[in-house]
Amino acid sequence: MNQQSISRIMHRAKVEAILFLSLENIRYLCGFSGSDGVLVISGQERTFLSDSRYEEQAREEIHDANFKKYKQKIEGLARFLGALGIKRLGIESNAITYEDYRKLQEKLPRISFVPLAKEIGSLRVYKGAEELEKIRRAIRIASGSFTDTLSGIKPGVRERMVAENLECRLIRRGSHQPAFNTVVASGPRAALPHGVASDKPLQKGETVVVDFGACFQGYHSDETMTLILGKPDAQQRKIYEIVRRAQEKALKAIRPGVSFRRIDAAAREFIVRAGFGKYFGHGTGHGIGLAVHEAPSISPKARGVAQEGMVFTVEPGIYIPGWGGVRLEDIVRVTGQGCEKLTGLSKDLEENILVR
Amino acid sequence: MNQQSISRIMHRAKVEAILFLSLENIRYLCGFSGSDGVLVISGQERTFLSDSRYEEQAREEIHDANFKKYKQKIEGLARFLGALGIKRLGIESNAITYEDYRKLQEKLPRISFVPLAKEIGSLRVYKGAEELEKIRRAIRIASGSFTDTLSGIKPGVRERMVAENLECRLIRRGSHQPAFNTVVASGPRAALPHGVASDKPLQKGETVVVDFGACFQGYHSDETMTLILGKPDAQQRKIYEIVRRAQEKALKAIRPGVSFRRIDAAAREFIVRAGFGKYFGHGTGHGIGLAVHEAPSISPKARGVAQEGMVFTVEPGIYIPGWGGVRLEDIVRVTGQGCEKLTGLSKDLEENILVR
């Protein structure tokens, strides 16, 4: 299946082989789930190279690929590549460090290295049935964990404790680990889009942004809820509704053929018109799968259009320094006609008011 | 304190500024604990650059540094660097991707980029009192969690369940997250040095390698225990004792002025002489701190000597495909005379036999 995409990339870039270094692409292309190694695809031939620590695991896990052991990564890789007798090598240039690149190039002066970033970056944008099922599993683990945690979210409890409860539940329900540092940002801290849980206690009347995710067999979920601890005041209600409607606008804009920019603009323009444009500093969404953040990017500068089978987040937000913030995030899959929301937790304000 | 080391690196490399990209060095040098941004040190002046998502966090956290916001990372960084009017820029070449490097160089054709990897790699090798205290805290969290988990390690329980129990306890005791994917490798799987916990149930008589770590305020612990689920047979006893004594040899070899190679050799030669040399495929240890693996490396090809204040692991192992394996890992701090073991769990065989 993916050999076609690879062959196309090779053909266009006029390279005889490609060196993959990102663990996500390596897992995608040959099944290895460990944390060190490289994959070389030369024509139709795939070789996964790693050291002795991963030999048994590699032999168990990899499919459609040979295994080759090295002692020193760059030396072993250079020897292997040198023996291929190729002239042009594609390199996953946003996954190799400059240090490794220059050492490798130094050892292989006769091979032209061709940086491939964008070309390879889109390799995983279409999710197959098995991938989709894993993402759905991750989402179910995460939403179940969140629901179980809800009763412990109340005034007096520290943000950190909420995150601990949630993360333990994620692990218990089968997430190999939390997908990322759980965000629990309350009151003024909700103005931090990436406000990792702190020791701050939650207070009555505050908004609490909770951004969390699970990881199932390498595939991630990512969802953000904004809770209100008590009856929302006028400003909370107003901002929440703007974000919710902005998200709705973006969701409605999604269908095959619509540009990512237009999807971003659908949410952004609504927020701008409401007068809060300068408080929405990030993109509207990002692809998700083996990486928490991957192609496509849904942002004002993004290129490309949505196509059936793509999976990405839709997560507008408003962050007002000193006051706080609101973000609502769902994951969607682009369908033939529009999009299907994969995440299931309600983003209605009334459902997210916790009065205790 | 660290400005001296930085000035020395700049002087030797004849650069007027250094671009730091690794999150560990950024945290070390200016206190930012988020997950995106760069730090530029130009002479005595430090500037941390990031996007709007991290603005508030950066302003709260950073010390001895200015904050500058960019919209697009490479563009914003290029503009900032271009305005410095410098000719030679040191770059953390093992932290920048080749893709970012070439984009940046393209935008700044007049600046010579000087790759600094080894030079910067040793920046954090000496641990100050505060750092040491955080490592000790991480170790206490981890060993307490392990001890609490012990009663659940018995025949019939799946590796994954052991890891879940341990990881939840790590989080509960204050580890921001497990330091890495917990290894629980039993029976033949113990031959996988990085055998992340699987669905395999533990069986009576098996050896179980458990490699786990906590993270406290960015600082990590890393410790490996090998348990025997029942009375050890002759081979288990023999291999365990070889690894234990090999570790002891390495620990005894550590003192200021002794080369890392000699420390590695102390353990390795003992294992080789016992006839198991080919089953010990990895280095004897690695530095630990803000990263789980950092300088120095304690291996056959390592350069440099131990010095007071360095902190690293000592973890020989024997891995026999089909049979299983044993690894014992402690963390030490080099003292004036020798070394102090920071990890406290007993590595005596008798203490690690679990008969139920």
Side-chain angles (χ1 to χ4, degrees):
Chain A
M1 163 202 86
N2 49 43
Q3 183 59 40
Q4 272 189 10
S5 322
I6 303 282
S7 298
R8 203 175 315 125
I9 294 170
M10 282 190 184
H11 180 75
R12 285 194 193 150
K14 298 190 179 66
V15 297
E16 300 144 88
I18 300 181
L19 168 60
F20 288 92
L21 301 110
S22 82
L23 293 170
E24 293 87 2
N25 277 334
I26 289 171
R27 186 164 188 167
Y28 184 70
L29 294 169
C30 76
F32 177 74
S33 73
S35 51
D36 205 0
V38 296
L39 175 70
V40 177
I41 302 190
S42 167
Q44 303 278 325
E45 182 112 346
R46 298 178 181 202
T47 308
F48 174 70
L49 300 94
S50 190
D51 61 61
S52 70
R53 292 171 304 165
Y54 292 104
E55 182 168 5
E56 280 214 42
Q57 185 181 355
R59 292 192 191 278
E60 267 177 28
E61 291 184 337
I62 62 177
H63 47 76
D64 311 323
N66 303 309
F67 174 73
K68 203 168 159 52
K69 184 162 65 171
Y70 53 67
K71 280 201 163 176
Q72 299 277 326
K73 190 169 182 172
I74 296 299
E75 283 75 2
L77 179 56
R79 208 168 306 127
F80 178 79
L81 291 169
L84 290 179
I86 56 173
K87 284 181 186 152
R88 286 170 61 85
L89 172 71
I91 292 218
E92 206 185 347
S93 52
N94 52 8
I96 190 169
T97 64
Y98 174 60
E99 188 67 14
D100 283 350
Y101 176 90
R102 75 187 190 91
K103 281 187 189 156
L104 205 56
Q105 180 71 86
E106 198 179 278
K107 288 183 194 294
L108 299 167
R110 290 197 204 142
I111 299 182
S112 292
F113 286 13
V114 181
L116 301 175
K118 255 178 290 173
E119 298 83 345
I120 291 179
S122 297
L123 194 61
R124 308 194 309 263
V125 288
Y126 298 104
K127 266 63 181 181
E130 277 182 38
E131 295 185 276
L132 194 61
E133 187 45 38
K134 288 174 187 170
I135 293 171
R136 285 186 198 275
R137 284 285 295 270
I139 289 172
R140 279 202 298 274
I141 290 168
S143 54
S145 303
F146 178 80
T147 307
D148 287 352
T149 306
L150 263 179
S151 64
I153 304 182
K154 52 191 172 192
V157 174
R158 291 179 198 277
E159 290 175 355
R160 185 64 226 153
M161 184 58 65
V162 175
E164 280 178 18
N165 287 338
L166 182 45
E167 289 178 357
C168 273
R169 289 186 160 103
L170 288 170
I171 291 171
R172 292 285 182 204
R173 281 179 174 260
S175 176
H176 298 198
Q177 54 186 358
F180 47 84
N181 278 332
T182 303
V183 168
V184 180
S186 61
R189 288 195 80 248
L192 307 170
H194 283 215
V196 170
S198 77
D199 286 331
K200 177 188 170 300
L202 308 184
Q203 285 177 36
K204 204 176 160 168
E206 285 183 336
T207 48
V208 187
V209 174
V210 186
D211 187 348
F212 58 101
C215 175
F216 180 76
Q217 290 184 8
Y219 285 79
H220 297 88
S221 78
D222 187 358
E223 185 164 6
T224 305
M225 304 296 289
T226 297
L227 307 166
I228 320 267
L229 295 186
K231 196 166 167 279
D233 63 26
Q235 178 82 338
Q236 284 171 324
R237 193 173 282 277
K238 179 177 164 187
I239 307 260
Y240 191 101
E241 281 304 328
I242 293 167
V243 174
R244 196 190 57 74
R245 291 185 60 195
Q247 195 201 27
E248 217 170 69
K249 297 275 181 198
L251 292 171
K252 284 205 175 133
I254 299 168
R255 62 173 182 277
V258 172
S259 74
F260 299 127
R261 284 190 202 190
R262 232 178 101 190
I263 298 168
D264 177 86
R268 193 168 305 278
E269 282 170 11
F270 187 82
I271 292 176
V272 168
R273 278 199 303 271
F276 293 91
K278 71 169 181 161
Y279 299 117
F280 176 26
H282 57 74
T284 294
H286 55 83
I288 184 161
L290 284 166
V292 179
H293 292 90
E294 59 183 42
S297 160
I298 320 297
S299 72
K301 294 206 171 181
R303 288 180 189 189
V305 299
Q307 296 290 6
E308 186 170 355
M310 291 180 174
V311 172
F312 51 82
T313 69
V314 178
E315 48 173 316
I318 292 178
Y319 313 93
I320 306 177
W323 178 79
V326 170
R327 178 170 65 258
L328 300 174
E329 177 182 24
D330 281 298
I331 296 180
V332 300
R333 181 179 78 90
V334 184
T335 60
Q337 257 85 72
C339 74
E340 176 198 4
K341 222 198 276 187
L342 302 180
T343 37
L345 296 169
S346 167
K347 303 298 184 292
D348 279 0
L349 173 58
E350 300 306 324
E351 306 264 348
N352 289 290
I353 296 172
L354 305 181
V355 183
R356 313 219 191 265
Chain B
M1 161 204 87
N2 48 43
Q3 183 59 40
Q4 271 187 13
S5 322
I6 302 283
S7 299
R8 204 176 314 123
I9 294 170
M10 283 191 185
H11 180 75
R12 285 195 193 147
K14 298 190 180 65
V15 297
E16 299 143 273
I18 300 181
L19 168 60
F20 289 91
L21 300 110
S22 81
L23 293 170
E24 293 86 1
N25 277 334
I26 289 172
R27 186 164 189 168
Y28 184 70
L29 294 169
C30 77
F32 177 73
S33 73
S35 50
D36 204 1
V38 297
L39 175 71
V40 177
I41 303 190
S42 166
Q44 304 277 325
E45 183 114 342
R46 297 178 182 201
T47 308
F48 174 71
L49 300 94
S50 189
D51 61 60
S52 70
R53 293 171 303 165
Y54 292 104
E55 182 168 6
E56 279 214 45
Q57 185 181 355
R59 292 192 191 279
E60 265 177 29
E61 291 184 340
I62 62 176
H63 47 74
D64 311 324
N66 304 310
F67 174 74
K68 203 167 160 51
K69 184 163 61 171
Y70 53 67
K71 279 202 165 176
Q72 299 277 326
K73 192 168 179 172
I74 297 298
E75 283 75 1
L77 180 55
R79 209 168 305 129
F80 177 80
L81 291 170
L84 289 179
I86 57 172
K87 286 183 186 149
R88 286 171 60 85
L89 172 71
I91 291 221
E92 206 185 348
S93 52
N94 52 7
I96 191 169
T97 64
Y98 174 59
E99 187 67 14
D100 283 350
Y101 176 90
R102 74 187 190 92
K103 281 187 190 157
L104 205 56
Q105 180 71 86
E106 199 178 278
K107 289 182 192 294
L108 299 167
R110 291 196 203 143
I111 299 182
S112 292
F113 285 12
V114 181
L116 300 175
K118 256 180 290 175
E119 298 84 344
I120 291 179
S122 297
L123 193 62
R124 308 194 310 263
V125 288
Y126 298 104
K127 266 62 180 181
E130 277 181 40
E131 295 184 276
L132 193 61
E133 187 46 38
K134 288 174 187 170
I135 293 171
R136 286 185 197 275
R137 284 284 295 271
I139 289 172
R140 279 202 298 274
I141 290 168
S143 53
S145 303
F146 178 80
T147 307
D148 287 351
T149 306
L150 262 179
S151 64
I153 302 182
K154 52 191 172 192
V157 174
R158 291 180 197 276
E159 291 175 356
R160 185 65 227 154
M161 184 58 65
V162 175
E164 280 178 17
N165 287 337
L166 182 44
E167 290 179 356
C168 273
R169 288 188 160 100
L170 288 170
I171 291 171
R172 294 283 183 206
R173 281 180 175 259
S175 177
H176 298 199
Q177 54 186 1
F180 46 85
N181 277 333
T182 303
V183 169
V184 180
S186 61
R189 290 195 80 250
L192 306 171
H194 283 215
V196 170
S198 77
D199 285 331
K200 177 188 170 300
L202 308 184
Q203 286 177 34
K204 204 176 160 166
E206 287 182 335
T207 48
V208 186
V209 174
V210 186
D211 188 348
F212 58 100
C215 176
F216 180 76
Q217 291 185 6
Y219 284 80
H220 296 88
S221 79
D222 188 358
E223 185 163 6
T224 305
M225 305 296 289
T226 297
L227 307 166
I228 320 268
L229 294 186
K231 198 167 166 278
D233 64 25
Q235 178 81 338
Q236 284 172 323
R237 193 173 282 278
K238 179 177 164 188
I239 307 259
Y240 191 101
E241 281 304 329
I242 293 166
V243 175
R244 196 190 57 75
R245 291 184 60 196
Q247 194 201 28
E248 215 170 71
K249 297 277 181 196
L251 293 171
K252 283 204 176 135
I254 298 167
R255 61 174 182 279
V258 172
S259 74
F260 299 128
R261 284 191 202 191
R262 232 179 102 190
I263 297 168
D264 177 85
R268 193 168 306 278
E269 282 169 11
F270 187 81
I271 292 176
V272 168
R273 277 199 304 270
F276 293 91
K278 72 168 178 162
Y279 301 115
F280 176 26
H282 57 74
T284 294
H286 55 84
I288 185 163
L290 283 167
V292 179
H293 291 92
E294 58 183 42
S297 160
I298 319 298
S299 73
K301 293 205 169 182
R303 288 180 187 188
V305 300
Q307 295 291 6
E308 186 171 356
M310 290 178 175
V311 172
F312 51 81
T313 69
V314 178
E315 47 174 315
I318 291 177
Y319 312 93
I320 305 176
W323 178 78
V326 170
R327 177 170 66 258
L328 300 173
E329 176 183 25
D330 282 297
I331 296 179
V332 300
R333 182 179 76 91
V334 184
T335 60
Q337 257 84 72
C339 75
E340 176 197 3
K341 221 199 278 187
L342 302 182
T343 37
L345 296 169
S346 168
K347 303 298 182 293
D348 279 0
L349 174 59
E350 300 305 324
E351 307 263 348
N352 289 291
I353 297 172
L354 304 181
V355 183
R356 314 215 189 265

